[in-house]
Amino acid sequence: MTDDSIDNATLQQKAKTQQEIEAAITHLFAPEDDGLRQALITAKEAGLPQIQISPIQGKLLQLLATACQARIILEIGSLAGYSGIWLARALPAGGHLITLEINPHHAEIVRQSFVRAGVGDRAEVRVGNALELLPQVEQEGPFDLVFIDADKPAYPQYLDWALRLTHPGSIIVADNCIRSGEALREPEQVRDEGTAALAEYNKRIVNNPRLLSLALAMDDDYMDGFTMAVVLPESKER
Ligand code: DHB
Ligand code: MG
């Protein structure tokens, strides 16, 4: 056996262990119930892209929403309704999730999935371009948590809106902020427009004295993940 083959075997073993750990954490801490599973099945059958967050990410969203005692949550980009279900389940009675979805067909599927998952009373889907819907949503804020998971080139604009629509103590989370490390580079060094916007998003979050933030690689193969930020009270601005 050459040194190379030993290294490969070790790497393969590590990747396997990593997968087993992820599966065990999911099984123990973030098992899906019928509502979540059915949302994914319905979305798949309808031909929606299967790019939803992982169960661990869903549970993290729920944990963050609970930690900031969220009563009103804004989601930009509904996709399958999967993240919306995790988030809405963190809401107390009378709480409200507004999720923005550009595709009317997808929005209808998400509505059905919300009802099936038992959050139809708390979770509302609005159809349209998020940048056009956000000015109307402003009157309904401020929001305790904002989750961004939509078209990537508009992430910096979504951050501007998230900052307008939140208050000290609110949490702003965005998906896909690692992108195999590309989104952690200087934006000018990134060729792809969407990924450059994600890099710009991270840069703005890090440099904003109103925010305390962290990016965490956490999806299936640790190649992507959330950037999370807490809006600081004025006295604690950095
Ligand atoms: C893509 C978008 C996402 O929100 C995601 O989580 C993964 C992939 C995409 O557009 O490719
Ligand atoms: Mg995403």
Side-chain angles (χ1 to χ4, degrees):
M1 223 193 273
T2 66
D3 281 348
D4 272 357
S5 66
I6 293 168
D7 279 349
N8 279 339
T10 309
L11 283 173
Q12 270 178 23
Q13 185 55 48
K14 273 196 170 173
K16 187 164 169 277
T17 305
Q18 225 168 38
Q19 277 173 9
E20 285 165 1
I21 291 170
E22 163 133 4
I25 293 174
T26 301
H27 182 72
L28 196 58
F29 290 94
E32 293 172 328
D33 70 350
D34 281 344
L36 285 162
R37 267 194 299 269
Q38 196 56 48
L40 293 182
I41 292 167
T42 310
K44 185 179 177 186
E45 282 171 359
L48 270 69
Q50 294 176 269
I51 51 171
Q52 70 281 341
I53 57 169
S54 69
I56 292 174
Q57 288 176 294
K59 184 67 181 282
L60 179 59
L61 285 177
Q62 203 172 73
L63 189 152
L64 291 171
T66 305
C68 72
Q69 300 184 345
R71 298 190 58 86
I72 176 157
I73 297 175
L74 174 67
E75 179 181 60
I76 304 176
S78 316
L79 192 61
Y82 183 83
S83 47
I85 294 170
W86 281 105
L87 280 168
R89 286 177 172 171
L91 289 168
H96 194 42
L97 169 91
I98 298 173
T99 182
L100 311 181
E101 175 54 46
I102 196 163
N103 183 310
H105 174 56
H106 294 182
E108 197 42 53
I109 289 163
V110 172
R111 282 192 192 105
Q112 290 165 16
S113 291
F114 281 167
V115 171
R116 257 197 309 262
V119 297
D121 58 333
R122 281 164 281 172
E124 179 195 352
V125 190
R126 297 216 184 144
V127 181
N129 182 313
L131 291 173
E132 285 166 20
L133 294 176
L134 283 163
Q136 302 157 30
V137 165
E138 187 164 14
Q139 303 144 23
E140 292 159 89
F143 291 83
D144 305 310
L145 187 146
V146 177
F147 178 49
I148 303 168
D149 191 9
D151 52 318
K152 308 313 168 198
Y155 265 44
Q157 286 163 281
Y158 295 147
L159 177 59
D160 290 342
W161 275 106
L163 290 166
R164 274 177 78 154
L165 298 177
T166 49
H167 58 81
S170 294
I171 297 179
I172 301 169
V173 185
D175 190 29
N176 308 111
C177 284
I178 311 275
R179 291 294 203 191
S180 305
E182 285 292 300
L184 305 173
R185 298 172 60 186
E186 280 296 322
E188 303 76 39
Q189 292 175 358
V190 182
R191 284 242 192 99
D192 175 71
E193 186 201 356
T195 312
L198 296 169
E200 178 67 28
Y201 180 93
N202 281 327
K203 190 175 178 178
R204 288 194 197 181
I205 289 257
V206 167
N207 291 324
N208 189 323
R210 288 178 61 200
L211 299 174
L212 178 78
S213 62
L214 182 66
L216 214 49
M218 63 176 91
D219 80 343
D220 297 339
D221 46 11
Y222 299 90
M223 290 292 152
D224 212 345
F226 289 166
T227 290
M228 297 162 277
V230 182
V231 181
L232 296 170
E234 251 173 59
S235 61
K236 288 214 170 154
E237 284 188 11
R238 297 175 299 121

